[in-house]
Amino acid sequence: MGGGSAREPRTPLPLIGAHMSIAGGLGQALIRGRKLRCEAIQIFVKSTVRWRMPPLRPDEARRFGEARRESGVGIVFAHSSYLINLASSDPLLRKRSIASLEEEVRRSSALGLPFIVLHPGAHGGAGEREGIRKIADGLDEALAPVPGEGVKILLETTAGQGTSVGGRFEHLAEIIAASSRPGRLGVCFDTCHVFAAGYDLRSRKGYARAMEEFDRAVGLPGLKAFHLNDCRGPLGSHLDRHTHIGKGRLGLIPFSFLLNDRRFAGLPMVLETPKGRGAALDRRNLAVLRGLIRGRTAS
């Protein structure tokens, strides 16, 4: 796995935050994050329901940079559009997916973001081996036009629903190994997805076992970000159903393990829990997480 970017800060504590809406402009996400005292936020860099958008204008990138400096948010990263499926057997869908991901890499680079989180894809019945090959090739195609050691793509762990790839840590390792640009790839660990895929994080022993399995398959240095979500479905259900921290089948214990694991100090850990009107639910979930960090007071 490639080394960390200069934009990936290391501090004694994890960087806690949430996915923030870009409604009203990219900079609005930073304003929303600042109001919640987020140390990290995740955003979309383009519409999630359109394949193409005009290139990011220099003045848009400049205003975003200014808003970012004013916000005090430590790290901002992107989540890719849900339209993208690099494993698709449909030639047109796959072509559009690669082009869309390339555009998101360019936009993220212009905004100074260190990485983009990507759902690996669903093979649609073609088989895991074929899906993994297509994903690796698609990643190479999307990254090739934006050379250097810039924006990384983080493969997100999945719940393993349907024909989706990424429900096992080995899937992610195989994609990275098959890519010609492994140094520009990493992993985003989603707690809900990992639990739904069958990794039991609810005990000290289970948590340690899951991290050992990840380390053997991918290597812990490959972990660059976390999605903190409780899970509505039971262990191994393969149901991708997020819920509020401590209100699902995971409970609070796994989050306490993760937030106090010194191996992940300084990494961004963001909520993708259900939203309500305003920011009340995010504020409540963030307070719960902060209260679980030893030596830190919730507010």
Side-chain angles (χ1 to χ4, degrees):
M1 302 298 299
S5 164
R7 295 192 182 102
E8 299 172 31
R10 297 287 178 175
T11 63
L13 298 173
L15 303 177
I16 305 300
H19 183 97
M20 290 288 113
S21 169
I22 59 170
L26 290 166
Q28 291 300 308
L30 292 158
I31 294 172
R32 295 180 179 108
R34 179 179 60 195
K35 288 179 179 178
L36 291 173
R37 299 190 300 107
C38 289
E39 296 145 344
I41 65 169
Q42 176 182 267
I43 63 172
F44 294 121
V45 294
K46 61 185 284 293
S47 169
T48 61
V49 297
R50 295 172 56 189
W51 283 109
R52 302 290 295 178
M53 288 188 70
L56 191 71
R57 299 192 312 271
D59 62 302
E60 291 180 283
R62 185 181 64 254
R63 288 199 300 271
F64 180 83
E66 292 169 353
R68 183 175 178 179
R69 287 188 291 274
E70 291 173 4
S71 74
V73 176
I75 189 167
V76 184
F77 62 99
H79 194 297
S80 66
S81 166
Y82 298 124
L83 296 173
I84 294 172
N85 182 7
L86 298 182
S88 177
S89 295
D90 180 331
L92 179 58
L93 175 56
R94 190 164 180 275
K95 181 178 179 180
R96 284 177 170 174
S97 296
I98 293 169
S100 181
L101 183 57
E102 178 190 332
E103 182 178 343
E104 294 198 22
V105 171
R106 291 187 183 280
R107 292 172 76 90
S108 295
S109 180
L111 293 170
L113 309 187
F115 38 75
I116 303 169
V117 175
L118 172 73
H119 292 180
H123 59 74
E128 288 178 0
R129 299 279 70 74
E130 181 66 5
I132 286 168
R133 182 191 66 79
K134 285 181 177 177
I135 294 166
D137 290 349
L139 289 167
D140 288 348
E141 288 187 55
L143 287 169
V146 191
E149 295 298 321
V151 178
K152 296 185 190 308
I153 295 176
L154 303 190
L155 303 169
E156 183 173 345
T157 56
T158 72
Q161 66 274 26
T163 65
S164 67
V165 178
R168 306 305 301 172
F169 299 147
E170 291 79 8
H171 293 170
L172 307 180
E174 289 169 19
I175 293 168
I176 294 168
S179 169
S180 64
R181 293 173 171 79
R184 293 187 65 187
L185 303 177
V187 173
C188 176
F189 187 108
D190 186 301
T191 53
C192 169
H193 297 172
V194 166
F195 180 75
Y199 298 94
D200 195 348
L201 308 172
R202 295 172 296 182
S203 68
R204 176 67 68 182
K205 185 176 180 180
Y207 175 83
R209 183 185 302 117
M211 289 305 174
E212 287 168 5
E213 289 187 36
F214 185 94
D215 195 30
R216 282 196 300 270
V218 180
L220 287 177
L223 270 176
K224 301 297 181 184
F226 291 82
H227 287 162
L228 301 186
N229 304 300
D230 210 326
C231 186
R232 290 185 184 177
L235 176 68
S237 63
H238 303 297
L239 293 174
D240 182 1
R241 298 290 185 272
H242 300 183
T243 193
H244 303 291
I245 305 300
K247 302 299 183 181
R249 299 297 186 97
L250 276 166
L252 294 177
I253 290 174
F255 299 100
S256 178
F257 292 153
L258 188 56
L259 289 162
N260 293 291
D261 193 327
R262 301 288 290 182
R263 294 173 296 182
F264 308 130
L267 294 183
M269 298 185 179
V270 300
L271 295 166
E272 287 184 323
T273 44
K275 304 279 189 181
R277 285 190 174 184
L281 294 177
D282 275 345
R283 184 172 290 108
R284 186 184 309 160
N285 282 308
L286 287 168
V288 171
L289 291 176
R290 288 167 179 149
L292 294 174
I293 301 175
R294 288 192 290 270
R296 184 172 188 167
T297 303
S299 60

